[in-house]
Amino acid sequence: SLREFLESAVVDRVVGVLGVPDARMRVSLATSYLVGVAASRYVLQIEPLASATEDEIVALVAPAIQAALTTPTQPTKAQREKG
């Protein structure tokens, strides 16, 4: 299935190199963002996304992906209580 492919080919590989405690959540969010962009562009053909150049899309999408993967987060309540 697509979910299994994305988990093994994308999520698991990136989680392994990201090296942060919440890596799986971060990579899952980034992956879902990219799948949404791809579906909107190629399946739903939503304009102006469908006719944008790859460079235009990368310029807008890359900062969001970078932020999802690298922006420091505050510990959750459960993390604070744990230790």
Side-chain angles (χ1 to χ4, degrees), residues 28-46:
S28 295
L29 287 169
T31 301
S32 65
Y33 187 79
L34 292 171
V35 168
V37 169
S40 296
R41 178 175 166 88
Y42 297 109
V43 178
L44 302 173
Q45 298 182 350
I46 295 173

Side-chain angles (χ1 to χ4, degrees), residues 19-65:
V20 294
D22 56 353
R24 182 160 293 281
M25 174 64 86
R26 290 171 177 267
V27 175
S28 295
L29 287 169
T31 301
S32 65
Y33 187 79
L34 292 171
V35 168
V37 169
S40 296
R41 178 175 166 88
Y42 297 109
V43 178
L44 302 173
Q45 298 182 350
I46 295 173
E47 291 295 345
L49 187 58
S51 60
T53 67
E54 289 180 9
D55 288 341
E56 290 172 320
I57 295 170
V58 168
L60 292 168
V61 171
I65 299 300

